[in-house]
Every structure is written in structure tokens, then in C-alpha cells.
């Protein structure tokens, strides 16, 4: 079994989801008392939030490259970045660290293609929804990406940053997300990507009129599967 290097802490609320899912998947496949071989580097999230505020993506790259190099030195066989937004610096990590890197958007695109989804709604932070670093991975696979209206984008971003990353799950916010997903269904979305790893704390399949693609779970399962391959 390969050792999974996890760059986590963005936020630790969703990193918990990764840890649980990695171990659940491995145990389900192997049985007994088997669990995942993994090394977690939990970054200081305040530093990452400062990056978001200042738009200093070069500094973000430095922080996450340092984390990846530490994981390699500790014996990781490959790297996953347990967040969607910070894949904005994924090219920096891949360039600096000579280990396989499992990209969250590529994993998601693979699943969408298997499910014959060609038009998908993307929910996440403002950065993930508005910038191209994430959407282009999907578009390059022939998948049309829809994002919410401007006011909806701001509301989603606010809920993520003022509630979910702090462990707050509010029923009013769930209703807000449900209504946004409904509006995207009316724009011909065939599925919805939970493109922030905290959104899965709020939205489950039963809350959505569209098939839900929870990126934290998809990414963790793909990493666990890769760890089991020869």
C-alpha cells in the first residue's frame, strides 16, 4: 500500500472528512483492521486566509510547496491537496515536488464523464467559481460549467467563510444552497459540484434536486484507490 501525503488544514473541518473517508475506503476494500497509510501536514490556516485577503498567491505557493516537500521527506508516495481553492497553486507544487499529484478537479471530471454529465453547476469559494484554474480542467474534458449569479456567488462565499470553515451548519444556509441549486437546474445543469470541501458538511444528496458530486469524498476515494494499486 502506498503512503498518501495529505496537505490539509484548509480548513481542518473538511480535512476530518478526508481522514475518515480515506480510512473507511481502505477498510471497506481490505477488511479486518486495515486502514490508510497516510501522513498529514496540517497547514496554519490563518496564513492561507491572509493569502486570500491579500491575493498573494505566490506566498500561497511557497507555503504549500513547503508542505509537500515535508511530506515527501517523511515518506509519502504521492500528494493530495485537501482543498479546492488552493489548487490555484497546484502547478507550483507539481513543478517543485517530484511525486505524483492527484488533482481534485481531474478526479471530479473523470467521475462526471463516467456519469455522462456534460453540463454541471460549480459551487465553491468566489475564487473557485470565478477564476479559470478549476473550470478549465473541466472544460478541457468537454464539460460545460455553470456558476451562480453574482449575488449568489457572494452569499455562497460568505457562508463558507463565516460558517462552514468554523464548523457552523445552519439550516437557513442549507435552504439558501438548495434554492441556488434549483436555479442552476433551471439553467440546464445536470449535476452540481460541491467545489469547496466544506460544502459537504452542509449539503447531502437529499438536499439537492441535482446529482451531487462532493469533491472531498471523490478526492479521498480516488487517493485511497490509487494507494492500493501496484
Amino acid at each position: 500500500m502506498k503512503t498518501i501525503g495529505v496537505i490539509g488544514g484548509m480548513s481542518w473541518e473538511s480535512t476530518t472528512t478526508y481522514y475518515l473517508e480515506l480510512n473507511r475506503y481502505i477498510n471497506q476494500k481490505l477488511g479486518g483492521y486495515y486502514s490508510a497509510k497516510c501522513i498529514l501536514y496540517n497547514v496554519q490556516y490563518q496564513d492561507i486566509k491572509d493569502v486570500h485577503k491579500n491575493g498573494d498567491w505566490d506566498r500561497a505557493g511557497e507555503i504549500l510547496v513547503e508542505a509537500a516537500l515535508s511530506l515527501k521527506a517523511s515518506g509519502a508516495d504521492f500528494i493530495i491537496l485537501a482543498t479546492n481553492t488552493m489548487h490555484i497553486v497546484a502547478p507550483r507544487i507539481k513543478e517543485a515536488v517530484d511525486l505524483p499529484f492527484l488533482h481534485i478537479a481531474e478526479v471530479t471530471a473523470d467521475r462526471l464523464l463516467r456519469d455522462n454529465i456534460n453540463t454541471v453547476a460549480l459551487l465553491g469559494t468566489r475564487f473557485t467559481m470565478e477564476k479559470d484554474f478549476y473550470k478549465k480542467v473541466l472544460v478541457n474534458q468537454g464539460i460545460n460549467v455553470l456558476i451562480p449569479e453574482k449575488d449568489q456567488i457572494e452569499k455562497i462565499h460568505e457562508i463558507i467563510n463565516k460558517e462552514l470553515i468554523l464548523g457552523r451548519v445552519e439550516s437557513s444556509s442549507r435552504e439558501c444552497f438548495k434554492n441556488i441549486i434549483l436555479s442552476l437546474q433551471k439553467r440546464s445543469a445536470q449535476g452540481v459540484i460541491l467545489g469547496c470541501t466544506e460544502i459537504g458538511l452542509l449539503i447531502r444528496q437529499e438536499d439537492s434536486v441535482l446529482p451531487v458530486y462532493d469533491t472531498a469524498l471523490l478526492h479521498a476515494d480516488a487517493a485511497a484507490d490509487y494507494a492500493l494499486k501496484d
Side-chain angles (χ1 to χ4, degrees):
M1 186 189 307
K2 300 183 187 71
T3 299
I4 309 165
V6 183
I7 307 176
M10 298 166 283
S11 67
W12 63 263
E13 291 284 349
S14 61
T15 301
T16 301
T17 300
Y18 271 83
Y19 184 76
L20 290 170
E21 186 64 13
L22 287 169
N23 286 288
R24 183 207 63 80
Y25 188 99
I26 294 291
N27 184 258
Q28 185 179 65
K29 291 292 184 180
L30 300 182
Y33 297 98
Y34 280 99
S35 58
K37 288 178 65 178
C38 61
I39 306 168
L40 170 63
Y41 188 110
N42 203 64
V43 303
Q44 176 52 259
Y45 195 39
Q46 183 61 57
D47 294 340
I48 300 300
K49 293 303 291 179
D50 291 342
V51 163
H52 288 182
K53 181 178 179 180
N54 301 325
D56 188 357
W57 301 111
D58 285 339
R59 176 58 184 150
E62 292 172 2
I63 293 169
L64 298 183
V65 165
E66 178 184 353
L69 288 170
S70 178
L71 289 169
K72 179 181 179 181
S74 298
D77 293 308
F78 67 100
I79 301 292
I80 60 171
L81 181 56
T83 167
N84 286 274
T85 298
M86 296 315 296
H87 273 73
I88 196 169
V89 299
R92 286 277 303 275
I93 297 171
K94 293 168 72 174
E95 180 181 359
V97 183
D98 184 24
L99 286 178
F101 180 89
L102 220 57
H103 195 292
I104 195 168
E106 293 175 357
V107 166
T108 303
D110 288 344
R111 179 58 181 271
L112 292 169
L113 292 172
R114 288 201 301 272
D115 290 353
N116 295 313
I117 300 291
N118 52 51
T119 299
V120 70
L122 174 62
L123 307 182
T125 64
R126 182 192 308 120
F127 310 111
T128 299
M129 289 186 283
E130 293 185 338
K131 292 182 178 295
D132 289 335
F133 72 96
Y134 197 96
K135 292 182 289 187
K136 69 181 180 182
V137 175
L138 304 172
V139 171
N140 287 344
Q141 292 295 322
I143 300 167
N144 183 38
V145 181
L146 303 178
I147 63 172
E149 302 295 336
K150 183 65 177 177
D151 61 328
Q152 296 173 330
I153 287 173
E154 293 305 319
K155 185 61 177 176
I156 292 168
H157 191 80
E158 179 183 12
I159 290 169
I160 291 169
N161 284 281
K162 294 186 177 180
E163 297 174 19
L164 298 180
I165 65 174
L166 300 174
R168 290 175 51 201
V169 177
E170 305 287 349
S171 58
S172 59
S173 296
R174 181 175 291 111
E175 289 303 312
C176 177
F177 268 72
K178 288 168 69 173
N179 289 331
I180 292 171
I181 293 170
L182 181 59
S183 72
L184 288 158
Q185 181 200 39
K186 293 177 179 177
R187 292 170 51 194
S188 301
Q190 300 168 305
V192 58
I193 298 172
L194 307 187
C196 171
T197 52
E198 283 81 25
I199 299 178
L201 304 174
L202 180 69
I203 296 296
R204 301 285 195 269
Q205 183 57 66
E206 59 266 26
D207 302 312
S208 173
V209 296
L210 292 172
V212 165
Y213 293 87
D214 186 333
T215 54
L217 298 179
L218 291 174
H219 201 202
D221 286 353
D225 189 59
Y226 185 80
L228 290 174
K229 291 180 179 177
D230 293 333

